[in-house]
């Protein structure tokens, strides 16, 4: 038996109080969210010797959209020509809003960090089968997602981090200087409050799909984003927040790379012209609004089918349970909203520390904007996982450095920074009504007719409905500011807040670009080749980011020609 | 959504209670866990993957199976080896011979990295690609 690889173990956080009704820990770094970004942040922080707590809403290792997905990180070796080729393709797909300089650093980090994984003792349960469609001769990282996330959990703990499962965060703690100094929440299986006092906090809470039931996304409800904004952070590219995943009809299985090689028919059996999933998206979505469309994986020769099945065990588990053979017969499909998970909007980070601009607060993974990575196109699995590693690593390292510079937070005065979904400013009793508000938000954000095809009129209508909800501060106020009900109200507050930022930003982009389809502005406007920043709670602002996209020279030429015309 | 915990197979280990990301189950002292919050199930299949007894079946449907559905019938599921199917597919079933495909999903959930077999790459192809049949 080979001995287990040794990893350096950081000191554990200090237990201040461990009572039946209250847990208080003292740490250097608190990571909120235990998916790939959160665990990579925790690993990086423990590597730097920090005392780390990871608080996961669910169970670190199963929580989030990555846990049942694939582990296909976007891995590109640091060779200029290969990099240029791969980035060029995505640059065009993303409407030229990405940033090459950032991408080089992100791809470097993903490349070198994944290289460490085998040495840390990662052993997938099943012998990895090489992806037959992957570039030949390139290092890839293989295994199933449950293996990977379970491994990341173990690696996080072996590094010395303390993991709190089933411990949703409810609000950030801020000291008198406005520095983020920890968070509080509720341990729902133990029925007690938790508080982590920390020198710095990493928000890695994912995006949101407004609980569309897309695979693993219902834990991603946007309250992490809300907490960051409450502390003073702002957002980027929130208009790119309406990607829809194709699923076998009625299911959650949106991990579906093979739909790229499918044929499609409308509800009357007429073939739908199909080029690729980017340029044909609008047609397929529009056809779905007229009736149920069908797909079939027509482009795989019989000999290749077993390998294809093996490459996506989750998808074919679903079709097998349904008794569908997707190679041989058309099967009905529909869509699930993937919101800011497969969209690119999120907390705007300012630098390669993944710093939010707020003292003590960092953001990583899908909670942060991925517009510099993929612009207006979806980050899907590969780029989002590369970003999770890079931003997580950066945030974890920087947060541990930052924490080392500050005084111990328990010696300072801290207060909760949360409001909407937790308490009102006045003393009136609130009305939780989270189910009603959730349904009302979903009614604006889920339907394809409203969210995939936007117009000033539809956005104005949605905006008015959402504003009416926000203007009732007694809505979503739980009977107690901590507890099971507060988890619900805070989640819905996160969904409502995110929906408002999305709608306001989408109104400001008067063109069609990437996944942002405006029926009233169907063309891409070269003069809008910039990213939009968004912020504010009661009063939302949207402005042009003066940090311009950084694109390749060939594309720059095309772009300046287009502007000249 | 989760439909079945097979009482005959369940060993009351309560792993499903711990790992469910949306806290659907409640542990029961001296009994098998109960599905306490069915409407919170997000159909992510994690409980089915982690259940060491192959006692769990998650239906692919985002909504509850209707009464009378065979996917709610433990006997039917056991007979067709559907309990714990996801666990088998990711290679987590122990002590059983399996020929089921278990392999890495490489860029599997990524729309943009996939290419079809080289003959017809949809990322670059501009031709309409439909099969020879015109109706489903």
């Amino acid at each position: 038996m080979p001995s287990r690889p040794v990893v350096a173990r950081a000191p554990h956080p200090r237990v201040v109080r461990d009572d039946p009704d209250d847990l208080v820990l003292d740490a250097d770094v608190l990571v909120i969210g235990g998916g790939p970004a959160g665990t990579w942040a925790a690993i990086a922080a423990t590597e730097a010797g920090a005392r780390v707590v990871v608080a996961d809403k669910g169970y670190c290792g199963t929580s989030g959209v990555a846990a049942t997905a694939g582990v296909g990180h976007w891995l590109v070796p640091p060779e200029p020509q290969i990099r240029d080729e791969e980035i060029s393709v995505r640059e065009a797909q993303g409407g030229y809003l990405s940033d090459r300089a950032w991408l080089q650093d992100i791809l470097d980090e993903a490349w070198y960090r994944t290289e460490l994984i085998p040495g840390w003792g990662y052993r997938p349960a099943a012998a990895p089968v090489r992806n037959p469609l992957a570039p030949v001769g390139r290092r890839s990282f293989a295994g199933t997602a449950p293996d990977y996330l379970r491994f990341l959990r173990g690696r996080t703990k072996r590094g010395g981090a303390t993991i709190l499962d089933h411990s949703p965060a409810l609000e950030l703690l801020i000291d008198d200087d406005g520095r983020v100094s920890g968070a509080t929440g509720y341990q729902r299986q133990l029925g007690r409050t938790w508080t982590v006092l920390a020198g710095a906090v990493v928000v890695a809470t994912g995006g949101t799909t407004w609980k569309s039931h897309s695979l693993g996304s219902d834990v991603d409800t946007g309250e992490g984003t809300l907490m960051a904004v409450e502390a003073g952070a702002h957002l980027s590219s929130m208009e790119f927040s309406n990607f829809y995943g194709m699923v076998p009809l009625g299911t959650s299985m949106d991990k579906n790379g093979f739909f790229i090689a499918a044929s499609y028919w409308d509800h009357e059996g007429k073939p739908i012209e199909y080029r690729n999933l980017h340029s044909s998206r609008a047609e397929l979505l529009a056809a779905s609004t007229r009736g149920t469309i069908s797909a079939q994986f027509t482009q795989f020769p019989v000999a290749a089918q077993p390998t294809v099945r093996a490459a996506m065990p989750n998808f074919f588990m679903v079709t097998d349970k349904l008794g569908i053979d997707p190679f041989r017969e058309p099967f009905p499909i529909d869509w699930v909203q993937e919101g800011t998970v497969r969209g690119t909007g999120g907390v705007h980070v300012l630098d390669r520390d993944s710093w939010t601009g707020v003292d003590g607060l960092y953001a990583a993974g899908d909670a942060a904007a991925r517009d510099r990575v993929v612009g207006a196109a979806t980050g899907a699995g590969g780029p989002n996982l590369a970003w999770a590693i890079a931003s997580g690593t950066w945030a974890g390292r920087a947060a541990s450095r930052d924490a080392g510079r500050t005084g111990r937070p328990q010696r300072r005065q801290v207060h909760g920074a949360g409001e909407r979904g937790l308490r009102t400013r006045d003393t009136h009793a609130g009305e939780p009504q989270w189910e009603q508000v959730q349904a009302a938000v979903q009614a604006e954000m889920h339907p394809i007719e409203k969210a995939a095809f936007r117009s000033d009129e539809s956005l104005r209508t949605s905006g008015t409905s959402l504003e009416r909800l926000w203007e009732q501060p007694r809505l979503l106020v739980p009977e107690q500011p901590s507890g099971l009900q507060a988890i619900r109200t805070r989640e819905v507050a996160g969904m409502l807040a995110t929906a408002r930022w999305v709608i306001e930003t989408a109104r400001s982009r008067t063109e069609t670009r990437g996944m942002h389809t405006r029926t009233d502005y169907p063309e891409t406007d070269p003069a809008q080749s910039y990213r939009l920043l968004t912020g504010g709670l009661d009063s939302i602002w949207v402005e042009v980011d003066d940090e311009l996209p950084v694109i390749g020279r060939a594309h720059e030429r095309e772009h300046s020609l287009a502007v000249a015309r | 959504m989760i439909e079945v915990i097979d009482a005959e197979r369940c060993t009351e280990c309560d792993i499903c209670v711990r790992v469910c990301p949306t806290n659907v189950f409640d542990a029961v002292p001296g009994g098998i866990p109960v599905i306490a919050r069915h409407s919170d199930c997000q159909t992510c299949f994690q409980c089915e993957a982690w259940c060491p007894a192959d006692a769990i079946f998650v239906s692919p449907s985002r909504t509850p199976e209707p009464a009378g559905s065979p996917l709610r019938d433990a006997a039917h599921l056991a007979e067709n080896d559907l309990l714990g199917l996801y666990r088998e597919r990711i290679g987590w079933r122990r002590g059983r011979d399996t020929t089921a495909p278990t392999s890495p999903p490489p860029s599997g959930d990524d729309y943009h990295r996939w290419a079809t077999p080289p003959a017809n790459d949809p990322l670059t192809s501009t031709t309409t690609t439909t099969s020879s049949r015109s109706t489903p």
Side-chain angles (χ1 to χ4, degrees):
Chain A
M1 243 332 243
S3 63
R4 203 178 187 199
V6 176
V7 298
R9 185 188 286 272
H12 289 301
R14 190 169 65 84
V15 179
V16 178
R17 184 158 58 242
D18 187 356
D19 295 341
D21 61 348
D22 192 25
L23 173 73
V24 181
L25 300 175
D26 171 50
D28 296 312
V29 175
L30 167 65
V31 180
I32 305 177
T39 48
W40 277 101
I43 291 166
T46 54
E47 283 172 334
R51 302 169 309 148
V52 177
V53 176
V54 177
D56 196 297
K57 178 189 279 185
Y59 179 82
C60 171
T62 66
S63 253
V65 293
T68 315
V71 298
H73 295 67
W74 188 21
L75 293 181
V76 189
E79 293 165 33
Q81 196 188 332
I82 302 177
R83 285 274 170 97
D84 185 61
E85 283 165 13
E86 294 232 359
I87 292 173
S88 293
V89 173
R90 289 187 180 274
E91 216 162 56
Q93 289 167 352
Y96 307 107
L97 296 187
S98 45
D99 187 309
R100 283 197 169 217
W102 274 75
L103 262 172
Q104 295 291 355
D105 293 342
I106 291 160
L107 291 170
D108 281 350
E109 203 70 68
W111 183 257
Y112 293 117
R113 292 295 268 171
T114 50
E115 203 164 52
L116 299 173
I117 293 174
W120 287 341
Y122 175 64
R123 303 284 181 271
V129 172
R130 186 162 178 81
N131 170 12
L133 307 180
V136 177
R138 183 187 295 181
R139 173 165 70 81
S140 70
F141 167 54
T144 68
D147 273 328
Y148 177 48
L149 270 291
R150 189 165 73 163
F151 165 77
L152 286 176
R153 176 189 176 89
R155 177 63 185 79
T156 299
K157 291 181 81 161
R158 281 165 60 209
T162 295
I163 294 176
L164 306 180
D165 294 310
H166 293 287
S167 301
L170 290 169
E171 60 182 323
L172 295 176
L173 298 173
I174 311 273
D175 74 5
D176 290 338
D177 299 327
R179 183 183 170 83
V180 174
S181 307
T184 66
Y186 190 73
Q187 294 197 286
R188 62 186 179 190
Q189 292 195 342
L190 298 173
R192 65 175 177 180
T193 53
W194 65 262
T195 299
V196 175
L197 300 164
V201 174
V202 179
V203 171
T205 44
T208 187
T209 66
W210 300 280
K211 288 205 178 190
S212 70
H213 305 322
S214 82
L215 196 68
S217 77
D218 284 7
V219 292
D220 295 340
T221 43
E223 71 272 24
T225 315
L226 175 57
M227 286 180 225
V229 174
E230 285 170 338
H234 61 277
L235 313 165
S236 184
S237 290
M238 291 305 285
E239 71 275 37
F240 305 121
S241 48
N242 57 341
F243 200 83
Y244 283 78
M246 244 181 242
V247 295
L249 184 71
T251 72
S252 63
M253 187 48 70
D254 62 341
K255 307 299 177 237
N256 46 21
F258 298 113
F259 276 111
I260 204 164
S263 302
Y264 296 93
W265 296 268
D266 72 8
H267 65 293
E268 291 171 336
K270 281 205 286 284
I272 301 171
E273 191 189 337
Y274 174 73
R275 296 178 302 281
N276 65 58
L277 268 184
H278 275 287
S279 56
S280 303
R281 272 192 84 61
E283 280 112 304
L284 292 170
L285 280 161
S288 289
T289 64
R290 296 187 287 271
T292 300
I293 68 172
S294 303
Q296 181 182 341
F297 299 156
T298 47
Q299 297 176 38
F300 297 99
V302 174
Q305 291 169 10
T307 324
V308 170
R309 285 177 61 89
M312 274 188 64
N314 50 7
F315 183 86
F316 290 97
M317 170 266 296
V318 159
T319 53
D320 285 353
K321 284 179 175 177
L322 295 172
I324 290 168
D325 182 347
F327 297 108
R328 289 171 193 275
E329 55 184 330
F331 55 99
I333 60 173
D334 67 342
W335 308 77
V336 285
Q337 168 68 288
E338 294 175 325
T340 58
V341 169
R342 280 211 220 236
T344 52
V347 175
H348 184 220
V349 297
L350 305 188
D351 56 25
R352 264 73 151 187
D353 285 343
S354 244
W355 182 48
T356 62
V358 177
D359 248 6
L361 185 64
Y362 300 81
D366 288 356
R370 285 131 290 152
D371 45 6
R372 295 186 184 100
V373 188
V374 283
T378 173
N384 279 357
L385 280 169
W387 169 247
I389 289 193
S391 60
T393 298
W394 295 343
R397 281 179 193 151
S400 61
R401 274 200 311 274
D402 197 356
R405 282 199 299 266
T406 65
R408 297 264 54 84
Q410 74 271 21
R411 297 204 197 116
R412 294 179 275 126
Q413 287 297 315
V414 296
H415 62 274
E419 185 174 317
R420 190 55 60 104
L422 290 179
R423 53 180 75 90
T424 51
R425 274 172 230 180
D426 57 37
T427 54
H428 294 299
E431 301 156 22
Q433 297 202 37
W434 61 271
E435 283 160 305
Q436 294 89 327
V437 179
Q438 178 175 304
V441 172
Q442 289 173 334
E444 302 305 328
M445 306 313 286
H446 283 170
I448 290 170
E449 292 86 343
K450 289 185 188 176
F453 299 104
R454 295 162 162 168
S455 67
D456 192 60
E457 196 195 337
S458 78
L459 292 166
R460 207 185 289 270
T461 310
S462 290
T464 305
S465 307
L466 298 169
E467 225 44 50
R468 209 169 286 147
L469 297 169
W470 190 265
E471 283 164 3
Q472 300 176 62
R474 289 171 64 188
L475 277 186
L476 300 178
V477 176
E479 282 147 29
Q480 304 290 330
S482 191
L484 294 174
Q485 192 184 53
I487 295 171
R488 301 286 191 180
T489 53
R490 192 65 165 154
E491 282 188 345
V492 179
M495 289 192 267
L496 173 58
T498 308
R500 289 172 70 242
W501 291 314
V502 162
I503 297 292
E504 276 310 302
T505 317
R507 284 183 68 182
S508 300
R509 188 174 284 285
T510 50
E511 61 160 353
T512 291
R513 189 184 294 260
M515 71 184 77
H516 173 67
T517 301
R518 288 282 300 250
T519 55
D520 47 352
Y521 296 99
E523 303 299 324
T524 299
D525 172 11
Q528 295 186 48
S529 296
Y530 44 67
R531 299 188 289 259
L532 292 171
L533 302 178
T534 306
L537 289 162
D538 289 337
S539 157
I540 295 175
W541 55 262
V542 179
E543 60 184 49
V544 173
D545 187 354
D546 57 17
E547 178 194 309
L548 292 173
V550 178
I551 58 178
R553 252 178 301 171
H555 287 144
E556 251 165 33
R557 219 165 29 241
E558 287 163 27
H559 174 69
S560 54
L561 281 173
V563 173
R565 277 200 301 269
Chain B
M1 299 177 86
I2 178 159
E3 294 296 349
V4 170
I5 306 174
D6 188 329
E8 282 177 28
R9 294 188 180 191
C10 177
T11 62
E12 300 172 23
C13 71
D14 290 341
I15 285 177
C16 56
V17 181
R18 280 187 67 200
V19 302
C20 172
T22 55
N23 202 31
V24 162
F25 306 93
D26 274 344
V28 175
I32 72 167
V34 292
I35 301 170
R37 287 163 293 274
H38 195 226
S39 61
D40 281 337
C41 177
Q42 59 173 351
T43 320
C44 72
F45 306 97
Q46 290 290 344
C47 54
E48 189 176 304
W50 284 69
C51 174
D54 287 334
I56 286 181
F57 178 79
V58 178
S59 158
S61 176
R62 307 192 294 269
T63 48
E65 288 293 327
S69 162
L71 300 185
R72 281 172 62 169
D73 176 1
H76 169 85
L77 297 170
E79 201 172 297
N80 291 280
D81 201 18
L82 291 173
L83 286 155
L85 185 69
Y86 185 46
R87 182 175 175 84
E88 176 180 9
R89 294 293 168 84
I90 60 171
W92 282 15
R93 267 190 189 170
R94 277 167 289 192
R96 282 175 68 165
D97 263 8
T98 168
T99 53
T102 49
S103 85
S107 301
D109 55 338
D110 181 341
Y111 290 123
H112 313 300
R113 278 295 295 280
W114 277 105
T116 42
N120 184 7
D121 176 1
L123 273 181
T124 52
S125 169
T126 52
T127 53
T128 307
T129 52
T130 53
S131 73
S132 53
R133 52 202 295 183
S134 61
T135 53

